[in-house]
Amino acid sequence: MSQNPNLAALSAAGVSVWLDDLSRERLQTGNLAELIATKSIVGVTTNPSIFQAALSKGNAYDEQVNELAATGSDVDATILAVTTDDVRNACDLFTKQYEASDGVDGRVSIEVDPRLAHDTEKTVEQAKELWKIVDRPNLLIKIPATLAGLPAITAVIAEGISVNVTLIFSVERHRAVIDAYLSGLEKAKDAGHDLSKIHSVASFFVSRVDSEIDARLEKIGTQAALDLRGQAGVANARLAYAAYEEEFGGERFAALKGAGARAQRPLWASTGVKNPDYSDTLYVTELVAPNTVNTMPEKTLDAVADHGVVTGDTVSGTADAAQGVFDGLVEVGVDLDDVFKVLEKEGVDKFEKSWAELLEATQGQLDAAKK
């Protein structure tokens, strides 16, 4: 089997292609292995919505849930066992990619319980627990970039645990995430950890920014406002990349790099295009830059494989133009602080809702198994 040329070109341009999905069915049928062999997939991200969808379809989990029910496992313990088993098996599947990339890729992410998004101490506690249970060096623990999440990121990195920071919407918060990561590395260094083994990505959400800002532009309704539709998501990500270059090109990181530290790579998340008027490869082909990750739902992956045009780096040197887009948004009356506040709240709420649905469905399965 050979790699799809469009996705191979994306990889050659410095973008790590990760799949934004995981299920036991993908693992058991060989589907994920096939995507690794033909679609340049070198990592996987999961979230509560993905696990909720996986466990609600088919019967791939029935046997394990029945076994857990027979031992008296409660719903939280059942979900923990099921999800960590899937993630561990996926980690094993990516061992080759992990070793070939010196630990940069071959990564699989698992998220802390979204109900802990505003609880620093419990987030740290569960991050350590998940790291211990999965017990694979190519694991990433997902921690949300909420205000409570920032000190948790520092504390977890300080323990030598690799982290995927999720739900980043603004460049300001992205810089705070980088600061939290660097603080964690400094503590890890003082504690004697091997910094070269600690990895992190900063998951910057893209399409949701366009969805929220476009709705506000349409409400404003002026021609100047309407002309800005569909530009904010890419511009925001490009500004985030400029912040990444600045922060990791500075003296603070240089001191850590000398001790083996790795830069925290920007990861483009929420890359499925929600507006049918926009190109379905928009958040991939317009965000090509070295040392980045693009985690795609399969629909977006297939679109890029079919007709994505990869022309090399489309991000470096675009910061001024991207800032111009944001200046324009302010001029027409978009309250950007409110945009990012709304997006973060909606992001946490969405994952909490999916988790609640997962708990309910799993409890139903446990109850049925006990009858």
Side-chain angles (χ1 to χ4, degrees):
M1 287 188 282
S2 60
Q3 297 287 1
N4 173 274
N6 295 345
L7 291 162
L10 192 61
S11 297
V15 180
S16 294
V17 182
W18 292 4
L19 179 70
D20 192 29
D21 195 43
L22 181 65
S23 67
R24 189 154 299 178
E25 184 180 6
R26 283 194 189 278
L27 290 162
Q28 290 178 341
T29 61
N31 168 265
L32 184 55
E34 184 182 345
L35 292 176
I36 292 169
T38 63
K39 298 269 179 77
S40 295
I41 294 294
V42 291
V44 157
T45 49
T46 69
N47 61 45
S49 299
I50 284 169
F51 279 129
Q52 188 272 329
L55 269 79
S56 65
K57 293 175 187 169
N59 54 12
Y61 297 93
D62 289 357
E63 183 180 348
Q64 185 178 13
V65 172
N66 290 341
E67 288 173 357
L68 290 164
T71 63
S73 179
D74 67 17
V75 66
D76 287 302
T78 299
I79 290 171
L80 183 65
V82 166
T83 56
T84 54
D85 280 0
D86 277 2
V87 168
R88 186 184 306 105
N89 290 332
C91 283
D92 290 343
L93 187 61
F94 280 106
T95 298
K96 182 180 174 184
Q97 288 71 26
Y98 171 73
E99 292 175 348
S101 64
D102 189 26
V104 172
D105 284 314
R107 294 276 169 177
V108 184
S109 299
I110 188 169
E111 190 154 348
V112 295
D113 185 330
R115 295 172 296 180
L116 307 179
H118 303 295
D119 189 322
T120 302
E121 192 175 316
K122 287 185 178 176
T123 292
V124 174
E125 188 180 310
Q126 195 181 51
K128 291 180 186 176
E129 180 187 25
L130 289 169
W131 184 257
K132 188 175 180 181
I133 291 171
V134 175
D135 192 26
R136 293 294 184 272
N138 50 335
L139 179 68
L140 290 173
I141 305 295
K142 285 181 90 171
I143 297 175
T146 55
L147 291 177
L150 295 173
I153 293 158
T154 296
V156 173
I157 291 288
E159 294 283 339
I161 296 170
S162 296
V163 173
N164 174 344
V165 184
T166 188
L167 291 176
I168 307 172
F169 294 99
S170 71
V171 176
E172 180 185 17
R173 186 58 58 85
H174 182 216
R175 286 186 184 274
V177 165
I178 293 171
D179 177 70
Y181 173 61
L182 294 175
S183 296
L185 288 178
E186 287 159 354
K187 289 175 183 291
K189 182 184 176 185
D190 290 343
H193 288 289
D194 181 352
L195 299 191
S196 70
K197 303 296 185 187
I198 304 172
H199 287 252
S200 185
V201 292
S203 295
F204 204 85
F205 281 51
V206 188
S207 68
R208 294 190 201 180
V209 172
D210 269 340
S211 297
E212 180 65 26
I213 289 181
D214 281 3
R216 296 183 186 222
L217 292 171
E218 286 166 8
K219 191 173 180 181
I220 293 166
T222 63
Q223 193 56 53
L226 297 177
D227 287 346
L228 287 165
R229 288 177 297 181
Q231 297 183 51
V234 167
N236 199 34
R238 287 174 171 175
L239 288 171
Y241 189 78
Y244 150 79
E245 289 186 304
E246 180 186 332
E247 298 288 351
F248 287 101
E251 290 181 9
R252 186 180 179 192
F253 178 66
L256 292 162
K257 188 177 181 181
R262 317 284 188 125
Q264 181 186 55
R265 290 188 296 168
L267 178 152
W268 312 130
S270 181
T271 56
V273 177
K274 295 175 173 61
N275 189 329
D277 293 336
Y278 303 157
S279 164
D280 56 1
T281 64
L282 173 66
Y283 304 126
V284 179
T285 57
E286 296 305 308
L287 292 175
V288 178
N291 303 313
T292 58
V293 180
N294 196 306
T295 182
M296 308 178 210
E298 192 165 22
K299 185 178 178 183
T300 303
L301 183 75
D302 289 344
V304 176
D306 181 63
H307 53 266
V309 179
V310 179
T311 56
D313 189 339
T314 54
V315 176
S316 299
T318 62
D320 287 346
Q323 186 58 54
V325 171
F326 271 75
D327 292 343
L329 292 170
V330 172
E331 284 175 22
V332 300
V334 175
D335 183 343
L336 292 170
D337 287 342
D338 187 64
V339 165
F340 297 132
K341 191 182 298 181
V342 166
L343 286 171
E344 181 178 298
K345 184 179 186 306
E346 285 181 352
V348 172
D349 288 350
K350 181 184 177 187
F351 285 162
E352 281 188 359
K353 183 173 182 285
S354 295
W355 199 255
E357 290 170 356
L358 176 58
L359 287 167
E360 185 179 351
T362 305
Q363 185 63 61
Q365 285 182 275
L366 287 169
D367 292 342
K370 291 171 184 174
K371 288 178 181 177

